[in-house]
Amino acid sequence: MELVFRAATVHRQSFDPSEVQLSQLLSVKTGGCAENCGYCSQSASFKTGLKASKLMPVDEVLTAAKAARDGGAQRFCMGAAWRDLKDRDVPALANMIGGVKALGLETCATLGMITPDQARALKDAGLDYYNHNLDTSPEYYAQVVTTRTYQDRLDTLEAVKNVGMKTCCGGITGMGEARADRVSFLHQLATMSHHPDSIPINNLVPVAGTPLGDKARIEGGISGLEFVRTIAVARIVCPQSMVRLSAGRNEMSEELQALCFMAGANSIFVGDQLLTTPNPERGSDAHLFAELGLKPMTMA
């Protein structure tokens, strides 16, 4: 209780506690990823029944972005299931980013590892945020993925920061990690040269056919209150970052979500789909906001 109170106090020093930023996420290229992230339905290493697709046409992405804006989203995030971005795909992505930006939305993308030159090209196209999650602690990382190193992730984040783009970087709880790993993960974020501008905290949604998903379905994940503790500590150690209550919200009660908002979460994903996993419907979010006296964050 004292931890949540402290987090709520820190939250109020930088933010209006009644405001929540609304983002919407679209998978612009689904499945077939060469990474072996043990939680992910999109990895080519696992049989999850997900069909791989090519990069979406620009006009279809812009149609989805307009619908997101009209539905109340303030930031539009585009995700592609790639290990790393190829130069040949940059022009199409630049057109997507520019088009989304022209709709008056903040832009975000997660496209795997990128080079400094690619980061510059995306920034020039109008990309506001680049998402690249650390996922977990350095100590537990090898239990999650072996196809890229922790340093690879840090290098991509550095490339993003060096061109003046904002970073979105978080992780996932409930993957079998210990509390010490959650502490270590948050310590990584807190000791970066620049705190991530957005920190998505995800709770594992177990996907059948993935190693960590199958394990979690048998052993269970972390408790709701432990998840709230993670949100609270993220808020305390990164006081000016947006802390996003991300994947796993569909399985959370209104009361648990309320505790997360009290503990400093001030961003959510809206829309009924998060890449390949379900998300609460807009109607249930509207009811929750009304019950808690929350409102969409005012755009800068």
Side-chain angles (χ1 to χ4, degrees), residues 218-237:
I218 297 170
E219 300 178 2
I222 65 171
S223 72
L225 294 181
E226 183 70 3
F227 186 80
V228 173
R229 289 187 185 100
T230 308
I231 293 282
V233 175
R235 168 52 64 214
I236 291 168
V237 300

Side-chain angles (χ1 to χ4, degrees), residues 37-41 46 135 144 153 172 175 204-205 207 210 212-213:
C37 304
Y39 53 81
C40 187
S41 63
F46 315 128
D135 285 350
V144 177
R153 293 182 183 267
I172 307 172
M175 298 191 294
L204 180 68
V205 178
V207 175
T210 62
L212 293 176

Side-chain angles (χ1 to χ4, degrees), residues 63-85:
T63 297
K66 186 177 185 300
R69 182 199 64 186
D70 294 346
Q74 299 155 321
R75 184 183 301 173
F76 191 71
C77 307
M78 294 156 276
W82 288 320
R83 182 176 189 273
D84 49 12
L85 176 59

Side-chain angles (χ1 to χ4, degrees), residues 14-37:
S14 298
F15 297 100
D16 180 341
S18 69
E19 291 190 343
V20 177
Q21 190 246 359
L22 307 180
S23 297
Q24 189 151 338
L25 176 62
L26 175 69
S27 178
V28 298
K29 191 277 171 189
T30 304
C33 183
E35 299 278 18
N36 66 353
C37 304

